[in-house]
């Protein structure tokens, strides 16, 4: 009975952590759209041209919203995948998860800051936004390494190869955004569109990982059958 109670308590605590994390993701995505305010033009001055011009000035904000929505969505799916392996928790995992969620919660502000000034050729908003992305990637990496360590006994069904793959994914995004920040120094306009390439890069890495996994699985089957 005590063992059953302990298992149920552990499962309940994990569920609380996951639900809290999902709530932070949901709130962060909701706060992103709050920055997209409807243009206000005096009725006496209202024309289609002025309204379209006002919407045109909001393009950087829409673009920042799309980019950040995409990345928060990506990190939510990764977080969902991560906790699909977790069967136990430690105080360190709780702290790492909170630090990761801190970076998620910061995204609406860094996005608004970035979107407001990205086309005005100032570097500070780009550095701030990039630092936010780096924080997300690093804390994500630390969580994968923590749960992927067999000594911690926190995961089930997570192979060494998969743990390395997800750790690599966690590093790739911060590295790419650091590169984008340097490109911004040369051409801000090109740099602004480069984040759209991240899902493509991640998909290529995923395909290569799946290919290697299938190859290794086939080799194992051949060895078992003595081929």
């Amino acid at each position: 009975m005590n063992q059953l109670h302990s298992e149920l308590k552990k499962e309940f605590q994990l569920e609380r952590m996951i639900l809290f994390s999902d709530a932070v993701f949901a709130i962060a995505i909701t706060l992103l759209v709050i920055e997209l305010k409807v243009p206000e033009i005096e009725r006496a001055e209202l024309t289609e041209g002025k309204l379209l011009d006002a919407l045109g000035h909001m393009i950087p904000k829409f673009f920042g919203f799309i980019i950040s929505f995409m990345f928060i969505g990506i990190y939510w799916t990764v977080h969902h995948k991560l906790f699909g392996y977790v069967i136990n928790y430690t105080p360190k995992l709780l702290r790492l998860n909170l630090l990761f969620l801190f970076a998620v919660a910061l995204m609406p502000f860094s996005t608004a800051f970035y979107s407001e000034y990205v086309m005005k050729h100032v570097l500070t908003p780009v550095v701030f936004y990039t630092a936010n992305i780096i924080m997300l990637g690093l804390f994500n990496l630390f969580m994968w390494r923590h749960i992927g360590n067999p000594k911690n006994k926190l995961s089930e069904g997570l192979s060494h190869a998969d743990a390395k793959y997800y750790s690599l994914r966690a590093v790739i995004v911060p590295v790419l955004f650091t590169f984008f920040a340097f490109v911004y120094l040369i051409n801000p306009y090109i740099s602004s569109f480069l984040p759209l390439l991240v899902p493509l890069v991640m998909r290529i890495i995923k395909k290569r990982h799946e290919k290697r996994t299938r190859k290794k699985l086939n080799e194992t089957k051949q060895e078992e059958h003595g081929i």
Side-chain angles (χ1 to χ4, degrees):
M1 181 63 72
N2 288 336
Q3 185 177 357
L4 177 61
H5 176 74
S6 178
E7 290 296 322
L8 289 174
K9 184 178 179 181
K10 182 167 57 180
E11 185 178 338
F12 173 71
Q13 295 294 349
L14 280 172
E15 191 69 20
R16 284 187 65 196
M17 192 192 310
I18 294 168
L19 289 174
F20 176 73
S21 301
D22 286 346
V24 172
F25 276 103
I27 292 169
I29 280 182
T30 303
L31 289 176
L32 283 177
V33 80
I34 289 177
E35 291 299 320
L36 301 177
K37 302 184 187 303
V38 175
E40 294 184 6
I41 301 174
E42 294 294 333
R43 186 171 182 178
E45 301 177 359
L46 181 60
T47 63
E48 291 290 346
K50 287 188 176 181
L51 188 57
L52 290 173
D53 186 57
L55 286 174
H57 286 301
M58 290 183 64
I59 288 176
K61 291 184 181 293
F62 278 108
F63 193 74
F65 167 75
I66 292 169
I67 294 295
S68 293
F69 186 96
M70 177 179 69
F71 280 106
I72 290 177
I74 288 172
Y75 277 109
W76 178 79
T77 58
V78 170
H79 190 271
H80 177 74
K81 185 76 174 178
L82 176 117
F83 276 90
Y85 292 112
V86 175
I87 58 172
N88 201 353
Y89 68 95
T90 61
K92 183 177 180 179
L93 180 59
L94 285 170
R95 290 193 297 270
L96 288 174
N97 191 57
L98 278 174
L99 289 169
F100 177 74
L101 293 177
F102 167 79
V104 172
L106 189 60
M107 282 295 288
F109 173 78
S110 64
T111 301
F113 189 35
Y114 173 82
S115 300
E116 183 68 30
Y117 296 102
V118 65
M119 293 301 179
K120 298 178 181 177
H121 299 191
V122 285
L123 189 59
T124 301
V126 177
V127 172
F128 194 94
Y129 189 80
T130 302
N132 197 167
I133 295 292
I134 290 172
M135 287 170 60
L136 280 168
L138 287 179
F139 293 135
N140 186 34
L141 169 65
F142 295 154
M143 282 198 294
W144 276 109
R145 290 178 66 87
H146 186 57
I147 73 155
N149 187 343
K151 294 179 181 179
N152 296 326
K153 299 179 181 179
L154 296 178
S155 63
E156 187 176 76
L158 179 62
S159 67
H160 179 67
D162 283 341
K164 286 183 64 178
Y165 162 68
Y166 287 115
S167 295
L168 174 64
R169 277 176 57 105
V171 172
I172 288 294
V173 176
V175 169
L176 288 174
F177 264 83
T178 303
F179 170 71
F180 299 158
F182 281 106
V183 174
Y184 183 86
L185 295 173
I186 302 169
N187 193 315
Y189 296 102
I190 292 177
S191 176
S192 299
F193 288 95
L194 288 178
L196 295 174
L197 296 176
V198 173
L200 177 62
V201 174
M202 302 299 278
R203 186 162 185 82
I204 292 171
I205 294 172
K206 181 181 179 181
K207 290 292 184 183
R208 292 187 63 183
H209 172 68
E210 290 174 347
K211 185 177 179 180
R212 282 196 295 265
T213 301
R214 285 195 299 268
K215 183 179 178 182
K216 189 172 181 180
L217 183 62
N218 289 334
E219 289 175 353
T220 303
K221 288 181 178 178
Q222 289 176 358
E223 289 176 0
E224 289 176 352
H225 291 84
I227 300 175

